[in-house]
Amino acid sequence: MAGMTDPDRIWSEAALRLRAEIGEGPFSSYIAPSAVRVDGAGQLVLVTPTAYARDWVRKNALRRMNELWLGLDGLNRRLDVRCRAEVGSVPPASAVTASVPVSSAQMTAVAPVTDGARAVRAAGLQERLTFDSFVEGEGNAFALAIARQTASWADGHFNPIFFCGPYGYGKTHLLNAIAWEAQRLRPDAKVIYLTAERFLSTFVKAMQDRSTAAFKESLRGADMLLLDDVQFVGGKASTQEELLSTLTALIEDGKRIVLSGDRPPMAMTEIEPRLRSHLAAGLTCPVEPGGRDLKLAVARNRLAALARLGVVVGEARPEVLERVVDRTPGSMRELEGAVNTLAAAAGRRLSELTVDEAQALLGAALRGGPERRITVDEIQKTVAEHFALKQADLLSERRTRSVARPRQVAMYLCKQHTTRSYPDIGRRFGGRDHTTVLHGVRKIEELLGSDEQIARDVEALTRKLRG
């Protein structure tokens, strides 16, 4: 690739490598919405949408970007970074559009690194988070089936769809995949994807600018609205009121709504009851932690994607992947981070790596040392104390309601906060069958939508477990 002079091609290649090195989250937030341009003096400039993004890039990525650029550019030019306000009035660069026409005579546009053929009317979507890249397993098969149905615009759609589950196990992936596929199938439809934080910040800015009417009109004109991490609107009364009004208007117009949160709607006690009721009115669909086999599949899938980008060559030995998975007991997102680190360090030597070499390359990135994790034993003790029971009661054969319900709550929390499978959890609860655990988890999920006391208990226990 060395010796290129076209800034468009250089930027595309450099950004692909940078994406693999810094990770999908930072890349999508700060790099993808930006564009490289050439000013009147011939200086290459990365133009970011905000001053905050400019400062982040300058501090965390500009040096590496220049190293990549200089390795590809036959003219040995260097990149500077400025925010949009510093380079004059130019049309916005979108995270999901292919090019930015520039009216200023002083600037020549170089396309952002995205595929405009799949442009969606929303910022923040990640191109790699599609159905093709989603790895199906025991804990997410039902959620995946519902997501595909939703994306197909099929009749009989539950409204809203609410995906819930622990952080880092695929909810954001499913919402992104739905948005991409829904827009592909209906190119003229208005599909809007927002994180709850972006919804909040945009609404607050609209109030400050006295432009709330335009904000409301934009959202309520959506054919499909996808809102990620809805728990973050909790405790913000005006934002909750606006979200409730938006959901009501869209549902009345027969538009599609897809949401996600870290808990079922009725367990979000920080959200006011009317909004919780609307969130729970359609279908609540759990996205559960996967077992070891799913994690191995995710690790292999991520390495295959990095191989297609040219980051690595060959395949990792099975025992190397097993070590990475076993020493990264957190979420799928953390696992992908460990795989990214391994790939960046190994490069063309990936297939040659031994377990010990992989361990040395990853170093502190491989967890499994003294870092604290929530355990089944801790959950049992915390639940027993909360309900004034003994831990042995939860493991016993007692079936009275005063013991059976707390036992089901403990099983539900084990499934939410550990990576244990249903059979594993059953063994830890006095040798119970996995179907008993499954029934208990489903029962609590059902009660969270109808029993205020159970919702309060689960919320309180979750706070205790998270410290």
Side-chain angles (χ1 to χ4, degrees):
M1 283 288 185
M4 291 189 293
T5 58
D6 177 12
D8 189 352
R9 292 179 60 202
I10 297 169
W11 174 231
S12 296
E13 176 67 22
L16 281 175
R17 298 185 188 183
L18 189 67
R19 183 202 298 261
E21 292 182 14
I22 69 173
E24 191 66 43
F27 183 90
S28 296
S29 297
Y30 303 109
I31 308 299
S34 306
V36 172
R37 298 183 181 134
V38 184
D39 67 13
Q43 170 68 50
L44 291 169
V45 180
L46 179 73
V47 181
T48 63
T50 65
Y52 181 84
R54 175 204 62 199
D55 293 343
W56 187 93
V57 170
R58 187 169 287 157
K59 179 180 179 182
N60 299 283
L62 185 59
R63 179 177 177 180
R64 180 55 180 155
M65 289 169 69
N66 268 302
E67 289 175 353
L68 292 169
W69 192 282
L70 289 169
L72 296 165
D73 186 4
L75 300 179
N76 292 318
R77 293 166 292 187
R78 297 188 66 86
L79 272 177
D80 191 12
V81 59
R82 302 177 210 161
C83 67
R84 194 175 298 149
E86 293 174 318
V87 298
S89 177
V90 293
S94 167
V96 290
T97 54
S99 61
V100 184
V102 179
S103 57
S104 169
Q106 297 298 313
M107 304 293 281
T108 302
V110 178
V113 193
T114 47
D115 179 4
R118 299 191 303 173
V120 175
R121 293 184 180 101
L125 284 172
Q126 301 178 44
E127 285 198 64
R128 74 181 184 88
L129 300 185
T130 65
F131 285 126
D132 288 341
S133 63
F134 191 86
V135 181
E136 182 176 355
E138 176 188 355
N140 61 34
F142 176 62
L144 178 59
I146 293 299
R148 288 188 182 278
Q149 177 186 337
T150 304
S152 72
W153 303 93
D155 293 334
H157 175 86
F158 295 99
N159 211 22
I161 299 290
F162 193 103
F163 294 101
C164 63
Y167 172 84
Y169 285 97
K171 301 186 301 297
T172 294
H173 194 145
L174 287 176
L175 263 65
N176 274 251
I178 291 170
W180 288 124
E181 181 68 3
Q183 193 74 70
R184 185 186 70 81
L185 293 174
R186 285 182 52 183
D188 296 332
K190 185 177 182 181
V191 177
I192 296 179
Y193 168 89
L194 288 170
T195 65
E197 290 175 301
R198 186 182 288 261
F199 177 90
L200 171 63
S201 63
T202 306
F203 177 60
V204 170
K205 189 175 188 305
M207 288 195 298
Q208 294 170 343
D209 296 344
R210 298 182 180 180
S211 59
T212 53
F215 173 80
K216 292 178 181 181
E217 181 181 354
S218 173
L219 286 185
R220 296 179 191 185
D223 295 295
M224 179 182 288
L225 173 64
L226 303 103
L227 190 64
D228 205 1
D229 285 328
V230 74
Q231 69 271 7
F232 289 119
V233 303
K236 302 167 181 68
S238 60
T239 308
Q240 290 186 56
E241 188 65 35
E242 179 56 34
L243 178 55
L244 178 59
S245 299
T246 298
L247 297 183
T248 301
L250 289 173
I251 289 172
E252 288 177 352
D253 289 344
K255 305 301 176 65
R256 312 298 176 91
I257 301 168
V258 186
L259 311 116
S260 79
D262 63 352
R263 287 154 285 158
M266 297 310 291
M268 295 182 178
T269 53
E270 69 275 25
I271 292 178
E272 64 99 6
R274 287 186 305 149
L275 178 55
R276 286 209 310 267
S277 179
H278 273 70
L279 298 177
L283 172 66
T284 299
C285 186
V287 182
E288 300 174 331
R292 188 169 185 260
D293 288 344
L294 178 59
K295 287 194 165 189
L296 284 168
V298 167
R300 284 192 293 268
N301 189 66
R302 182 60 184 150
L303 278 177
L306 292 172
R308 288 192 293 271
L309 292 172
V311 178
V312 294
V313 175
E315 299 180 358
R317 296 177 180 178
E319 60 269 25
V320 169
L321 280 188
E322 289 170 5
R323 173 62 65 88
V324 174
V325 166
D326 292 341
R327 295 294 301 275
T328 313
S331 70
M332 296 296 185
R333 200 166 284 160
E334 293 174 40
L335 174 61
E336 286 199 341
V339 172
N340 289 342
T341 302
L342 180 68
R348 304 183 67 86
R349 294 189 58 249
L350 179 64
S351 58
E352 304 168 13
L353 285 186
T354 65
V355 171
D356 289 342
E357 287 173 328
Q359 177 88 20
L361 284 175
L362 283 168
L366 278 181
R367 299 196 321 166
E371 184 172 337
R372 178 187 175 278
R373 292 157 46 204
I374 297 174
T375 64
V376 172
D377 183 67
E378 182 183 357
I379 290 171
Q380 290 174 344
K381 289 177 179 176
T382 304
V383 171
E385 180 182 359
H386 180 84
F387 289 102
L389 298 170
K390 296 178 181 178
Q391 186 176 0
D393 293 330
L394 301 179
L395 278 59
S396 72
E397 295 298 321
R398 293 176 58 189
R399 297 185 180 180
T400 59
R401 186 182 181 86
S402 61
V403 174
R405 189 68 79 227
R407 182 185 295 127
Q408 290 175 331
V409 168
M411 291 174 175
Y412 169 82
L413 292 170
C414 287
K415 198 59 186 166
Q416 290 294 306
H417 298 290
T418 77
T419 58
R420 300 281 183 178
S421 65
Y422 287 115
D424 284 342
I425 295 171
R427 285 191 288 270
R428 298 296 297 275
F429 279 81
R432 286 176 162 79
D433 188 82
H434 76 278
T435 57
T436 303
V437 180
L438 177 61
H439 171 75
V441 171
R442 297 289 187 233
K443 185 63 178 177
I444 297 304
E445 289 173 347
E446 174 189 332
L447 290 174
L448 285 170
S450 59
D451 190 317
E452 287 282 351
Q453 185 58 54
I454 286 290
R456 285 194 293 270
D457 287 333
V458 169
E459 170 67 15
L461 286 163
T462 298
R463 285 200 302 268
K464 289 180 183 177
L465 291 168
R466 289 176 174 171

